[in-house]
Amino acid sequence: MRERNKLSERQRGILRFMETYLDMQGFPPTIREIGEATGINSTSVVNYNLNKLVEAGLLQRASAKSRGIRLTSTAKSLPKAVIAARTTARVPLVGQIVASAPVAVPDDVGYYYDEDDMLEVSLAMLGGFDAAEVFALRVKGDSMIDAMIGDGDIVLFRKQNYAENGDMVAVWLDERGETTLKRFYHEGDRIRLQPEHPTMKAIYVDPMHCLIQGRVLSVIRHI
Amino acid sequence: MRERNKLSERQRGILRFMETYLDMQGFPPTIREIGEATGINSTSVVNYNLNKLVEAGLLQRASAKSRGIRLTSTAKSLPKAVIAARTTARVPLVGQIVASAPVAVPDDVGYYYDEDDMLEVSLAMLGGFDAAEVFALRVKGDSMIDAMIGDGDIVLFRKQNYAENGDMVAVWLDERGETTLKRFYHEGDRIRLQPEHPTMKAIYVDPMHCLIQGRVLSVIRHI
DNA sequence: TTGACAATAGAATGAATGTTCGACTACAAT
DNA sequence: ATTGTAGTCGAACATTCATTCTATTGTCAA
């Protein structure tokens, strides 16, 4: 697209270094810093190549000013025009998953949630369900690590107290006294709960002691 | 809103001048330039107030470097009208993570993405970065399982070829011939790559054979 | 071969720039 | 009155930094 092709290896290197330095430091590098980073032993050579880049329209220089180099707009990765679309929904962030307690989901419809507890998510993450029947939980601790869900992750659920085979569900196991996230399989007169993590083994429970609280729609992790 | 109120008249003036100078010139002003613009007659006074602004968390300084001043993100006047209006962004879904190949990110400017390859995400998931510098990858297979990232997951990256300690990054290890997602730690003359999964052990690599491809912003999993 | 030119290295120069220190003022608290 | 602190000024100092000049090397065309 651009004329980066016609540039020398060193000039491309200078450009690349400029971008990362600017991004990291917030101000441009000196001629010497460019030289060290790109393996050029003489400031005059850096100066020479810098001027070449100015000729190519990729840089601008403020003469006799330290660090007086800037990337031309054509050299920056410019934001493309992005068209908006109204495709977000707000779901209640009702609390945290604690392995040793049932998930407390306000069962009532028309519940009123505080503005601060709402989570704005892309509609695609709701899997086609109405936002009113979706809620979110923040995972506390590493108890769900065998479901590849870590501390601080946010899980989106659809409220439901049943499950199809293969569904990923949050279940309260009153025999064990904990909530867990597993894949659900009805096998004869018992239920197999299969961890998401392939190296973990399944557990088997009695349907009477297995309270499904919701089906997992998505997992979101902010790093 | 912010604590600009507690700043002195001069400090506010310095901040204002910094913003316009940075915007006009593309690089930060010198201490003397700040002094002239704000009517301060002594470089030491500028230096003094600059340090006050650093204490207030509004500036960062790189000591003994010319023009080594940068605005903290909180100090920048955001184009809030634009940002607040939009709640979703579209980022390119450039492909898949394959453990045995470097991530192919179109580095060039003016790249045109197909509409079908765009992923619509909530703006909050971009961590404040411009959508133009964010890209998404779909994970294929279980190679990233020690980062708690499974088959089919979507990972959002910010394009960058460096990392701070503790960053979660995608790195290409040419000695091993694979791309991996790890937390990045610079330790002396080598780099420690720490898996996200707490039971996995770190690996150590030579900086020369460690090509950072991007920093992880978020992980999205649709069940 | 010769000449022109691009690319590079090394060193010297002078201006630009951040840092430090002593002294002074204004003001509030003790 | 005394003390302490924030803010200021001026000057000296020590580097950092861009610029410039000379010389060397390699390439390509005449």
Side-chain angles (χ1 to χ4, degrees):
Chain A
M1 169 120 234
R2 217 179 322 110
E3 306 302 336
R4 282 212 183 182
N5 339 354
K6 314 198 66 175
L7 301 178
S8 74
E9 181 60 41
R10 281 187 163 175
Q11 286 158 12
R12 274 194 303 271
I14 290 176
L15 231 39
R16 185 156 29 87
F17 173 67
M18 278 285 298
E19 288 171 9
T20 68
Y21 189 102
L22 222 36
D23 197 37
M24 287 180 68
Q25 306 292 336
F27 46 85
T30 67
I31 285 184
R32 272 161 250 270
E33 285 168 333
I34 294 174
E36 285 162 22
T38 56
I40 298 177
N41 297 315
S42 173
T43 59
S44 64
V45 176
V46 177
N47 190 55
Y48 174 85
N49 284 292
L50 246 24
N51 288 332
K52 286 290 170 189
L53 287 168
V54 172
E55 286 173 23
L58 295 167
L59 293 183
Q60 289 177 259
R61 298 188 70 184
S63 74
K65 286 189 185 305
S66 71
R67 304 173 191 271
I69 317 170
R70 79 151 104 184
L71 291 171
T72 306
S73 53
T74 62
K76 295 180 206 161
S77 311
L78 274 194
K80 289 271 108 21
V82 197
I83 316 96
R86 172 73 38 232
T87 48
T88 60
R90 300 168 84 81
V91 300
L93 184 54
V94 297
Q96 301 180 339
I97 285 186
V98 184
S100 58
V103 175
V105 185
D107 195 45
D108 271 337
V109 202
Y111 207 87
Y112 186 74
Y113 299 105
D114 192 350
E115 180 76 6
D116 296 335
D117 295 334
M118 300 299 283
L119 181 72
E120 183 139 13
V121 297
S122 169
L123 214 49
M125 223 157 295
L126 267 48
F129 292 102
D130 192 288
E133 50 183 351
V134 176
F135 66 97
L137 287 174
R138 186 180 297 276
V139 175
K140 196 70 186 171
D142 286 328
S143 60
M144 303 299 170
I145 198 118
D146 59 345
M148 289 198 305
I149 296 174
D151 187 51
D153 289 5
I154 289 175
V155 184
L156 264 51
F157 297 87
R158 174 175 184 248
K159 280 183 249 184
Q160 59 181 53
N161 55 12
Y162 62 92
E164 311 276 332
N165 275 348
D167 282 355
M168 175 96 141
V169 290
V171 290
W172 168 251
L173 306 173
D174 59 5
E175 288 178 323
R176 294 162 177 250
E178 64 174 35
T179 300
T180 182
L181 258 51
K182 295 283 191 303
R183 285 205 184 272
F184 176 95
Y185 294 95
H186 208 111
E187 295 187 341
D189 58 349
R190 61 180 190 175
I191 287 170
R192 173 165 62 94
L193 296 176
Q194 181 73 46
E196 183 77 353
H197 200 295
T199 66
M200 310 290 288
K201 61 189 185 314
I203 64 175
Y204 294 88
V205 296
D206 176 8
M208 297 305 297
H209 302 284
C210 171
L211 177 60
I212 296 173
Q213 315 206 69
R215 194 180 108 215
V216 176
L217 298 178
S218 322
V219 180
I220 302 170
R221 180 180 310 146
H222 294 294
I223 305 292
Chain B
M1 137 157 296
R2 217 172 318 111
E3 302 303 334
R4 282 210 184 183
N5 338 354
K6 314 196 67 173
L7 301 179
S8 74
E9 181 58 41
R10 282 190 161 174
Q11 286 159 12
R12 274 194 303 271
I14 289 177
L15 232 39
R16 186 156 27 87
F17 174 66
M18 279 285 298
E19 289 171 10
T20 66
Y21 189 101
L22 220 36
D23 194 41
M24 290 181 63
Q25 305 294 331
F27 46 85
T30 66
I31 285 184
R32 282 170 178 81
E33 284 169 334
I34 294 173
E36 287 163 21
T38 56
I40 298 177
N41 296 315
S42 172
T43 59
S44 66
V45 177
V46 178
N47 189 56
Y48 174 85
N49 284 294
L50 246 23
N51 288 333
K52 286 291 172 189
L53 288 167
V54 171
E55 285 172 23
L58 295 166
L59 292 184
Q60 288 177 261
R61 298 188 69 185
S63 76
K65 288 189 186 305
S66 70
R67 304 173 191 271
I69 317 169
R70 80 151 103 184
L71 290 172
T72 307
S73 54
T74 62
K76 295 178 199 162
S77 1
L78 295 184
K80 36 195 165 300
V82 191
I83 291 190
R86 299 183 31 86
T87 51
T88 63
R90 298 166 84 83
V91 301
L93 184 54
V94 298
Q96 301 181 337
I97 287 186
V98 184
S100 58
V103 175
V105 184
D107 186 48
D108 263 337
V109 202
Y111 207 88
Y112 188 73
Y113 298 107
D114 194 346
E115 180 75 7
D116 297 337
D117 295 334
M118 301 300 282
L119 179 74
E120 181 137 13
V121 297
S122 167
L123 213 51
M125 220 157 297
L126 268 46
F129 292 103
D130 193 289
E133 50 185 353
V134 176
F135 65 97
L137 287 175
R138 186 180 296 276
V139 174
K140 196 71 186 171
D142 286 328
S143 59
M144 302 300 169
I145 198 109
D146 59 343
M148 288 199 304
I149 296 174
D151 185 51
D153 288 5
I154 289 174
V155 184
L156 263 52
F157 296 87
R158 177 181 183 242
K159 276 183 252 186
Q160 59 180 49
N161 55 12
Y162 61 90
E164 312 276 333
N165 276 346
D167 282 355
M168 173 98 141
V169 291
V171 289
W172 168 250
L173 305 173
D174 58 5
E175 288 178 322
R176 294 161 175 252
E178 63 175 36
T179 300
T180 182
L181 256 52
K182 296 279 191 303
R183 286 206 182 272
F184 176 96
Y185 295 96
H186 209 114
E187 295 188 341
D189 58 350
R190 62 181 188 173
I191 286 170
R192 172 163 62 92
L193 295 175
Q194 182 75 44
E196 183 76 354
H197 200 296
T199 65
M200 310 289 289
K201 62 188 185 313
I203 65 174
Y204 294 87
V205 296
D206 176 9
M208 296 306 297
H209 301 285
C210 171
L211 177 62
I212 297 172
Q213 316 209 64
R215 191 178 110 219
V216 176
L217 298 178
S218 321
V219 180
I220 301 172
R221 178 179 313 145
H222 294 296
I223 305 295

